[in-house]
Amino acid sequence: MSDSDLTIDDLATQVGIPSRTIRFYQTRGLLPRPEMRGRVAHYGPAHVERLRRIAQLQDRGLKIKAIHELLGRVEQGETRLEEWL
């Protein structure tokens, strides 16, 4: 299995968080939806990186809503995450 073909359980193991948390992040808009192949969700390196960034921001004391807003600003080019960290 390659990094670009992770199931939710593989992703959870790789980043060290429960799959329930990954689903929570998806419902809150923090994590992009996975690629669906049939009924199976597949995650890739972008998901791994995003989850690691979320963890970094949580370690800095940010709440979910603030993380969502900050990552949105980063994606729109309004700020750089590296500068913020």
Side-chain angles (χ1 to χ4, degrees), residues 23-77:
R23 287 186 187 98
F24 171 77
Y25 290 159
Q26 284 177 300
T27 62
R28 294 296 180 124
L30 289 171
L31 191 66
R33 295 273 177 208
E35 177 185 337
M36 296 301 292
R37 295 185 208 143
R39 296 183 59 158
V40 179
H42 294 270
Y43 299 83
H47 293 98
V48 172
E49 179 62 29
R50 183 67 164 236
L51 289 168
R52 289 186 175 143
R53 283 188 171 178
I54 292 168
Q56 280 181 313
L57 295 169
Q58 285 181 319
D59 287 347
R60 300 265 176 148
L62 268 69
K63 303 292 183 198
I64 295 297
K65 183 177 179 182
I67 292 171
H68 184 268
E69 290 173 7
L70 176 60
L71 292 177
R73 291 180 57 212
V74 168
E75 288 172 357
Q76 293 176 4

Side-chain angles (χ1 to χ4, degrees), residues 72-85:
R73 291 180 57 212
V74 168
E75 288 172 357
Q76 293 176 4
E78 295 175 12
T79 190
R80 289 177 31 115
L81 186 60
E82 293 77 18
E83 290 174 5
W84 196 90
L85 290 172

